Short mmCIF file of all heavy atoms in Angstrom, two decimals:
data_model
loop_
_atom_site.label_atom_id
_atom_site.label_comp_id
_atom_site.label_asym_id
_atom_site.label_seq_id
_atom_site.Cartn_x
_atom_site.Cartn_y
_atom_site.Cartn_z
N PRO A 1 -46.01 -45.47 -61.67
CA PRO A 1 -44.92 -46.36 -61.27
C PRO A 1 -43.66 -45.58 -60.89
O PRO A 1 -43.23 -44.69 -61.61
CB PRO A 1 -44.68 -47.22 -62.51
CG PRO A 1 -46.00 -47.22 -63.21
CD PRO A 1 -46.56 -45.85 -62.99
N GLY A 2 -43.09 -45.92 -59.75
CA GLY A 2 -41.88 -45.28 -59.29
C GLY A 2 -42.06 -43.90 -58.70
O GLY A 2 -41.06 -43.26 -58.36
N LYS A 3 -43.29 -43.44 -58.58
CA LYS A 3 -43.56 -42.12 -58.03
C LYS A 3 -44.45 -42.23 -56.80
O LYS A 3 -45.16 -43.21 -56.61
CB LYS A 3 -44.21 -41.22 -59.07
CG LYS A 3 -43.38 -40.97 -60.30
CD LYS A 3 -44.05 -39.98 -61.24
CE LYS A 3 -44.15 -38.60 -60.62
NZ LYS A 3 -44.74 -37.60 -61.56
N GLN A 4 -44.40 -41.19 -55.98
CA GLN A 4 -45.26 -41.13 -54.82
C GLN A 4 -46.70 -40.84 -55.23
O GLN A 4 -46.96 -40.21 -56.26
CB GLN A 4 -44.78 -40.04 -53.85
CG GLN A 4 -43.41 -40.29 -53.26
CD GLN A 4 -43.00 -39.19 -52.29
OE1 GLN A 4 -43.80 -38.34 -51.91
NE2 GLN A 4 -41.75 -39.22 -51.88
N ARG A 5 -47.62 -41.30 -54.40
CA ARG A 5 -49.02 -40.97 -54.63
C ARG A 5 -49.21 -39.47 -54.41
O ARG A 5 -48.72 -38.91 -53.42
CB ARG A 5 -49.91 -41.78 -53.70
CG ARG A 5 -51.40 -41.62 -53.97
CD ARG A 5 -52.22 -42.61 -53.16
NE ARG A 5 -51.89 -43.99 -53.50
CZ ARG A 5 -52.54 -45.05 -53.02
NH1 ARG A 5 -53.55 -44.89 -52.18
NH2 ARG A 5 -52.16 -46.27 -53.37
N GLU A 6 -49.91 -38.82 -55.32
CA GLU A 6 -50.09 -37.39 -55.24
C GLU A 6 -51.56 -37.02 -55.30
O GLU A 6 -52.38 -37.70 -55.93
CB GLU A 6 -49.34 -36.68 -56.37
CG GLU A 6 -49.83 -37.00 -57.76
CD GLU A 6 -49.12 -36.23 -58.85
OE1 GLU A 6 -48.39 -35.27 -58.52
OE2 GLU A 6 -49.28 -36.58 -60.03
N LEU A 7 -51.88 -35.92 -54.65
CA LEU A 7 -53.24 -35.40 -54.65
C LEU A 7 -53.54 -34.73 -55.98
O LEU A 7 -52.76 -33.92 -56.47
CB LEU A 7 -53.41 -34.41 -53.50
CG LEU A 7 -54.77 -33.73 -53.36
CD1 LEU A 7 -55.85 -34.76 -53.03
CD2 LEU A 7 -54.72 -32.65 -52.29
N VAL A 8 -54.69 -35.06 -56.55
CA VAL A 8 -55.13 -34.47 -57.80
C VAL A 8 -56.15 -33.36 -57.55
O VAL A 8 -56.03 -32.26 -58.09
CB VAL A 8 -55.73 -35.53 -58.74
CG1 VAL A 8 -56.29 -34.89 -60.01
CG2 VAL A 8 -54.68 -36.58 -59.08
N ALA A 9 -57.16 -33.65 -56.74
CA ALA A 9 -58.21 -32.69 -56.46
C ALA A 9 -58.96 -33.11 -55.22
O ALA A 9 -59.01 -34.30 -54.88
CB ALA A 9 -59.17 -32.56 -57.65
N THR A 10 -59.57 -32.15 -54.54
CA THR A 10 -60.41 -32.43 -53.37
C THR A 10 -61.70 -31.64 -53.47
O THR A 10 -61.76 -30.58 -54.08
CB THR A 10 -59.71 -32.07 -52.05
OG1 THR A 10 -59.40 -30.67 -52.02
CG2 THR A 10 -58.43 -32.87 -51.87
N ILE A 11 -62.74 -32.18 -52.82
CA ILE A 11 -64.01 -31.48 -52.69
C ILE A 11 -64.51 -31.69 -51.28
O ILE A 11 -64.42 -32.79 -50.73
CB ILE A 11 -65.03 -31.96 -53.74
CG1 ILE A 11 -66.28 -31.09 -53.72
CG2 ILE A 11 -65.38 -33.43 -53.55
CD1 ILE A 11 -67.20 -31.32 -54.92
N ASP A 12 -65.04 -30.63 -50.67
CA ASP A 12 -65.57 -30.74 -49.33
C ASP A 12 -67.09 -30.67 -49.34
O ASP A 12 -67.72 -30.59 -50.40
CB ASP A 12 -64.95 -29.68 -48.40
CG ASP A 12 -65.30 -28.25 -48.79
OD1 ASP A 12 -66.27 -28.03 -49.53
OD2 ASP A 12 -64.57 -27.34 -48.35
N SER A 13 -67.69 -30.71 -48.15
CA SER A 13 -69.14 -30.74 -48.05
C SER A 13 -69.79 -29.46 -48.56
O SER A 13 -70.98 -29.49 -48.91
CB SER A 13 -69.56 -30.99 -46.60
OG SER A 13 -69.05 -29.99 -45.73
N GLY A 14 -69.05 -28.37 -48.60
CA GLY A 14 -69.55 -27.13 -49.15
C GLY A 14 -69.26 -26.97 -50.63
O GLY A 14 -69.44 -25.88 -51.16
N SER A 15 -68.79 -28.03 -51.26
CA SER A 15 -68.49 -28.07 -52.69
C SER A 15 -67.31 -27.19 -53.08
O SER A 15 -67.18 -26.80 -54.24
CB SER A 15 -69.72 -27.68 -53.52
OG SER A 15 -70.77 -28.60 -53.31
N THR A 16 -66.45 -26.88 -52.12
CA THR A 16 -65.22 -26.17 -52.42
C THR A 16 -64.23 -27.16 -53.02
O THR A 16 -63.94 -28.20 -52.42
CB THR A 16 -64.63 -25.53 -51.17
OG1 THR A 16 -65.56 -24.57 -50.64
CG2 THR A 16 -63.32 -24.82 -51.49
N ILE A 17 -63.70 -26.83 -54.18
CA ILE A 17 -62.83 -27.73 -54.92
C ILE A 17 -61.45 -27.11 -55.06
O ILE A 17 -61.32 -25.92 -55.35
CB ILE A 17 -63.40 -28.03 -56.32
CG1 ILE A 17 -64.79 -28.66 -56.20
CG2 ILE A 17 -62.46 -28.95 -57.10
CD1 ILE A 17 -65.52 -28.78 -57.51
N GLN A 18 -60.45 -27.92 -54.84
CA GLN A 18 -59.07 -27.52 -55.06
C GLN A 18 -58.40 -28.51 -55.99
O GLN A 18 -58.61 -29.72 -55.87
CB GLN A 18 -58.30 -27.43 -53.74
CG GLN A 18 -58.80 -26.34 -52.80
CD GLN A 18 -57.98 -26.23 -51.54
OE1 GLN A 18 -57.57 -27.25 -50.97
NE2 GLN A 18 -57.74 -25.00 -51.10
N TYR A 19 -57.59 -28.01 -56.91
CA TYR A 19 -56.90 -28.83 -57.89
C TYR A 19 -55.40 -28.68 -57.76
O TYR A 19 -54.90 -27.60 -57.41
CB TYR A 19 -57.28 -28.43 -59.31
CG TYR A 19 -58.74 -28.61 -59.66
CD1 TYR A 19 -59.64 -27.56 -59.55
CD2 TYR A 19 -59.20 -29.84 -60.11
CE1 TYR A 19 -60.97 -27.73 -59.89
CE2 TYR A 19 -60.54 -30.02 -60.45
CZ TYR A 19 -61.41 -28.96 -60.33
OH TYR A 19 -62.74 -29.12 -60.66
N ALA A 20 -54.70 -29.74 -58.06
CA ALA A 20 -53.26 -29.64 -58.21
C ALA A 20 -52.94 -28.75 -59.41
O ALA A 20 -53.68 -28.74 -60.40
CB ALA A 20 -52.64 -31.02 -58.39
N ASP A 21 -51.84 -28.03 -59.33
CA ASP A 21 -51.47 -27.13 -60.42
C ASP A 21 -51.33 -27.86 -61.75
O ASP A 21 -51.64 -27.31 -62.81
CB ASP A 21 -50.16 -26.40 -60.09
CG ASP A 21 -50.32 -25.37 -59.00
OD1 ASP A 21 -51.47 -24.94 -58.74
OD2 ASP A 21 -49.30 -24.98 -58.40
N SER A 22 -50.89 -29.10 -61.70
CA SER A 22 -50.63 -29.85 -62.92
C SER A 22 -51.90 -30.19 -63.71
O SER A 22 -51.81 -30.53 -64.89
CB SER A 22 -49.88 -31.14 -62.60
OG SER A 22 -50.61 -31.96 -61.71
N VAL A 23 -53.07 -30.11 -63.06
CA VAL A 23 -54.31 -30.49 -63.74
C VAL A 23 -55.30 -29.33 -63.86
O VAL A 23 -56.35 -29.50 -64.49
CB VAL A 23 -55.00 -31.68 -63.05
CG1 VAL A 23 -54.04 -32.85 -62.91
CG2 VAL A 23 -55.55 -31.28 -61.69
N LYS A 24 -54.98 -28.18 -63.31
CA LYS A 24 -55.88 -27.04 -63.39
C LYS A 24 -56.18 -26.68 -64.83
O LYS A 24 -55.29 -26.63 -65.67
CB LYS A 24 -55.28 -25.83 -62.67
CG LYS A 24 -55.35 -25.89 -61.16
CD LYS A 24 -54.78 -24.63 -60.53
CE LYS A 24 -54.88 -24.67 -59.02
NZ LYS A 24 -54.27 -23.48 -58.39
N GLY A 25 -57.45 -26.44 -65.11
CA GLY A 25 -57.88 -26.11 -66.45
C GLY A 25 -58.16 -27.30 -67.33
O GLY A 25 -58.72 -27.13 -68.41
N ARG A 26 -57.77 -28.49 -66.89
CA ARG A 26 -57.98 -29.70 -67.68
C ARG A 26 -58.92 -30.69 -67.01
O ARG A 26 -59.67 -31.39 -67.70
CB ARG A 26 -56.65 -30.39 -67.97
CG ARG A 26 -55.65 -29.53 -68.74
CD ARG A 26 -54.43 -30.33 -69.16
NE ARG A 26 -53.69 -30.86 -68.01
CZ ARG A 26 -53.50 -32.15 -67.77
NH1 ARG A 26 -53.99 -33.07 -68.58
NH2 ARG A 26 -52.81 -32.53 -66.70
N PHE A 27 -58.88 -30.76 -65.68
CA PHE A 27 -59.70 -31.70 -64.93
C PHE A 27 -60.82 -30.96 -64.21
O PHE A 27 -60.63 -29.82 -63.76
CB PHE A 27 -58.87 -32.45 -63.89
CG PHE A 27 -57.89 -33.44 -64.45
CD1 PHE A 27 -57.60 -33.51 -65.80
CD2 PHE A 27 -57.24 -34.32 -63.59
CE1 PHE A 27 -56.69 -34.42 -66.30
CE2 PHE A 27 -56.32 -35.24 -64.08
CZ PHE A 27 -56.05 -35.29 -65.44
N THR A 28 -61.96 -31.61 -64.08
CA THR A 28 -63.10 -31.04 -63.39
C THR A 28 -63.66 -32.05 -62.40
O THR A 28 -64.02 -33.17 -62.79
CB THR A 28 -64.20 -30.60 -64.36
OG1 THR A 28 -63.67 -29.69 -65.33
CG2 THR A 28 -65.34 -29.92 -63.60
N PHE A 29 -63.76 -31.66 -61.15
CA PHE A 29 -64.25 -32.50 -60.07
C PHE A 29 -65.71 -32.10 -59.80
O PHE A 29 -66.01 -30.91 -59.65
CB PHE A 29 -63.40 -32.25 -58.82
CG PHE A 29 -63.47 -33.29 -57.74
CD1 PHE A 29 -62.55 -33.26 -56.70
CD2 PHE A 29 -64.43 -34.28 -57.73
CE1 PHE A 29 -62.59 -34.20 -55.68
CE2 PHE A 29 -64.49 -35.23 -56.72
CZ PHE A 29 -63.56 -35.18 -55.69
N SER A 30 -66.61 -33.08 -59.74
CA SER A 30 -68.00 -32.80 -59.44
C SER A 30 -68.57 -33.87 -58.53
O SER A 30 -67.98 -34.93 -58.34
CB SER A 30 -68.83 -32.69 -60.73
OG SER A 30 -68.82 -33.91 -61.45
N ARG A 31 -69.74 -33.58 -57.96
CA ARG A 31 -70.35 -34.47 -56.99
C ARG A 31 -71.85 -34.55 -57.23
O ARG A 31 -72.50 -33.54 -57.49
CB ARG A 31 -70.06 -33.95 -55.57
CG ARG A 31 -70.67 -34.75 -54.43
CD ARG A 31 -70.26 -34.16 -53.09
NE ARG A 31 -70.76 -32.80 -52.93
CZ ARG A 31 -70.32 -31.96 -52.01
NH1 ARG A 31 -69.34 -32.34 -51.18
NH2 ARG A 31 -70.84 -30.75 -51.92
N ASP A 32 -72.38 -35.75 -57.14
CA ASP A 32 -73.81 -35.99 -57.22
C ASP A 32 -74.22 -36.64 -55.90
O ASP A 32 -74.08 -37.85 -55.72
CB ASP A 32 -74.15 -36.89 -58.40
CG ASP A 32 -75.64 -37.03 -58.62
OD1 ASP A 32 -76.42 -36.79 -57.69
OD2 ASP A 32 -76.04 -37.39 -59.75
N ASN A 33 -74.73 -35.83 -54.99
CA ASN A 33 -75.07 -36.34 -53.67
C ASN A 33 -76.19 -37.38 -53.71
O ASN A 33 -76.20 -38.32 -52.92
CB ASN A 33 -75.49 -35.19 -52.74
CG ASN A 33 -74.32 -34.32 -52.34
OD1 ASN A 33 -73.17 -34.76 -52.32
ND2 ASN A 33 -74.61 -33.07 -51.99
N ALA A 34 -77.13 -37.22 -54.63
CA ALA A 34 -78.24 -38.15 -54.73
C ALA A 34 -77.76 -39.55 -55.08
O ALA A 34 -78.37 -40.55 -54.68
CB ALA A 34 -79.25 -37.67 -55.75
N LYS A 35 -76.67 -39.65 -55.83
CA LYS A 35 -76.12 -40.94 -56.22
C LYS A 35 -74.93 -41.36 -55.38
O LYS A 35 -74.34 -42.41 -55.64
CB LYS A 35 -75.71 -40.90 -57.69
CG LYS A 35 -76.87 -40.70 -58.66
CD LYS A 35 -76.38 -40.74 -60.09
CE LYS A 35 -77.53 -40.60 -61.06
NZ LYS A 35 -77.09 -40.65 -62.46
N ASN A 36 -74.55 -40.54 -54.40
CA ASN A 36 -73.37 -40.82 -53.58
C ASN A 36 -72.15 -41.09 -54.46
O ASN A 36 -71.37 -42.02 -54.21
CB ASN A 36 -73.62 -41.98 -52.63
CG ASN A 36 -74.60 -41.63 -51.53
OD1 ASN A 36 -74.56 -40.55 -50.96
ND2 ASN A 36 -75.50 -42.57 -51.22
N THR A 37 -71.99 -40.28 -55.48
CA THR A 37 -70.95 -40.49 -56.46
C THR A 37 -70.24 -39.17 -56.77
O THR A 37 -70.89 -38.12 -56.84
CB THR A 37 -71.52 -41.08 -57.76
OG1 THR A 37 -72.16 -42.33 -57.47
CG2 THR A 37 -70.44 -41.30 -58.79
N VAL A 38 -68.93 -39.24 -56.93
CA VAL A 38 -68.17 -38.10 -57.41
C VAL A 38 -67.53 -38.48 -58.73
O VAL A 38 -67.32 -39.66 -59.03
CB VAL A 38 -67.09 -37.63 -56.41
CG1 VAL A 38 -67.73 -37.16 -55.11
CG2 VAL A 38 -66.08 -38.74 -56.14
N TYR A 39 -67.20 -37.47 -59.53
CA TYR A 39 -66.67 -37.67 -60.85
C TYR A 39 -65.42 -36.83 -61.05
O TYR A 39 -65.28 -35.75 -60.47
CB TYR A 39 -67.70 -37.28 -61.92
CG TYR A 39 -69.02 -37.98 -61.77
CD1 TYR A 39 -70.05 -37.41 -61.04
CD2 TYR A 39 -69.24 -39.22 -62.36
CE1 TYR A 39 -71.27 -38.04 -60.90
CE2 TYR A 39 -70.45 -39.87 -62.23
CZ TYR A 39 -71.47 -39.27 -61.50
OH TYR A 39 -72.67 -39.92 -61.37
N LEU A 40 -64.54 -37.32 -61.88
CA LEU A 40 -63.39 -36.56 -62.31
C LEU A 40 -63.36 -36.57 -63.83
O LEU A 40 -63.04 -37.59 -64.44
CB LEU A 40 -62.09 -37.14 -61.74
CG LEU A 40 -60.83 -36.32 -62.02
CD1 LEU A 40 -60.87 -34.99 -61.27
CD2 LEU A 40 -59.58 -37.11 -61.63
#
């Protein structure tokens, strides 16, 4: 509330993941292509 939407993490088709500095070491981004689902 009251803040701009911010990027937390991204993943590309090559499974390259980038995290915002504020969540590095705490959040983990993963992908399950068979289920067409990503997880945080």
Side-chain angles (χ1 to χ4, degrees):
K3 299 185 66 177
Q4 296 181 10
R5 187 171 299 186
E6 64 177 348
L7 179 65
V8 176
T10 61
I11 188 168
D12 64 19
S13 59
S15 298
T16 299
I17 302 170
Q18 295 183 320
Y19 297 95
D21 289 341
S22 60
V23 306
K24 284 182 179 177
R26 300 188 298 118
F27 290 10
T28 304
F29 198 168
S30 62
R31 178 178 63 195
D32 187 339
N33 288 334
K35 296 183 177 181
N36 290 318
T37 301
V38 298
Y39 305 92
L40 186 67

